[in-house]
Amino acid sequence: RKEVEQDPGPFNVPEGATVAFNCTYSNSASQSFFWYRQDCRKEPKLLMSVYSSGNEDGRFTAQLNRASQYISLLIRDSKLSDSATYLCVVNYYNQGGKLIFGQGTELSVKP
Amino acid sequence: DTGVSQDPRHKITKRGQNVTFRCDPISEHNRLYWYRQTLGQGPEFLTYFQNEAQLEKSRLLSDRFSAERPKGSFSTLEIQRTEQGDSAMYLCASSFNRALTTDTQYFGPGTRLTVL
């Protein structure tokens, strides 16, 4: 079983739709959580950190459930420019800070 | 541009050849990471440095792979006797680590390796 699991998609949605991505992680020692965005053939870029209390950045909302070892990302009012792969990431800062990535979920927003 | 840079951006080589990639981190970042990404997968951790010390190596890093960061600044990743399975994007990331905090890793554009 992979340490971080995501539905690979693709998710094909119309502009303006709300889309939710889910992610589960297997190691309860995981300490920090992130969503990264990766455009085709580009490097991953940090989208947002994920906190137990939930956090929001504009149209993006991230949630963490430590008891269920579950992370989510909600995108509201999706734009064409949101088309990308979204990577769920966990981190163990007491193990050198290496990032453990999920497979990524591909999102395609259509006009 | 003060981001992470990698060179070359693309490398095509024949099986059995040696290749070397370079990563220049963001200035003053004390940690440097190497990851590998194959098509349809997320990046996988290979190794990392704290200053010039290599502190962890993944089991993915076979003895054909070696990484250095001689002066705690740039790093090189060498693959000897390349195999077709080495074809991937090799990503470098850097961060500034403070004790008991999670540092943000910034990625370079990657080196795309194709082994024929």
Side-chain angles (χ1 to χ4, degrees), chain A residues 2 32 34 36 38 41-44 46 87 91 93 95-99 101-104, chain B residues 31 33 35 37 40-43 45 48 56 89 91 100-102 104-105 107-109 112:
Chain A
K2 291 187 175 180
S32 300
F34 311 92
Y36 274 70
Q38 186 171 29
R41 303 182 78 83
K42 299 282 191 179
E43 72 272 24
L46 179 64
L87 297 157
N91 167 275
Y93 71 73
Q95 294 183 25
K98 65 183 177 186
L99 300 178
F101 288 81
Q103 168 181 17
Chain B
R31 282 193 174 173
Y33 300 81
Y35 295 85
Q37 186 174 24
Q41 301 298 317
F45 169 80
Y48 92 97
E56 185 176 352
M89 173 78 89
L91 292 160
L100 303 180
T101 63
T102 299
T104 298
Q105 293 183 28
F107 284 81
R112 186 170 297 280

Side-chain angles (χ1 to χ4, degrees), chain B residues 81-111:
Chain B
R81 306 182 303 281
T82 52
E83 301 172 356
Q84 288 183 324
D86 297 332
S87 295
M89 173 78 89
Y90 289 84
L91 292 160
C92 174
S94 72
S95 68
F96 184 74
N97 175 254
R98 299 176 184 83
L100 303 180
T101 63
T102 299
D103 39 304
T104 298
Q105 293 183 28
Y106 298 88
F107 284 81
T111 294

Side-chain angles (χ1 to χ4, degrees), chain B residues 6-8 11 13 16-23 32 34-36 46-47 49 54 57 60-70 74-83 86 90-92 111 113 115:
Chain B
Q6 292 187 245
D7 183 69
K11 179 70 177 179
T13 191
Q17 298 294 305
N18 299 343
V19 295
T20 300
F21 310 141
R22 176 177 170 129
C23 171
L32 187 148
W34 285 98
Y35 295 85
R36 180 175 70 186
L46 293 178
T47 188
F49 294 83
Q54 187 175 18
K57 293 194 289 186
L60 293 175
L61 214 66
S62 76
D63 56 8
R64 297 185 297 106
F65 289 70
S66 62
E68 294 182 342
R69 194 183 184 200
F74 73 92
S75 176
T76 58
L77 178 68
E78 180 183 15
I79 310 174
Q80 295 183 326
R81 306 182 303 281
T82 52
E83 301 172 356
D86 297 332
Y90 289 84
L91 292 160
C92 174
T111 294
L113 173 66
V115 182

Side-chain angles (χ1 to χ4, degrees), chain A residues 69-80:
Chain A
Q69 296 182 196
Y70 172 90
I71 306 163
S72 65
L73 177 68
L74 185 75
I75 305 175
R76 291 181 300 278
D77 187 24
S78 51
K79 312 291 185 190
L80 297 177

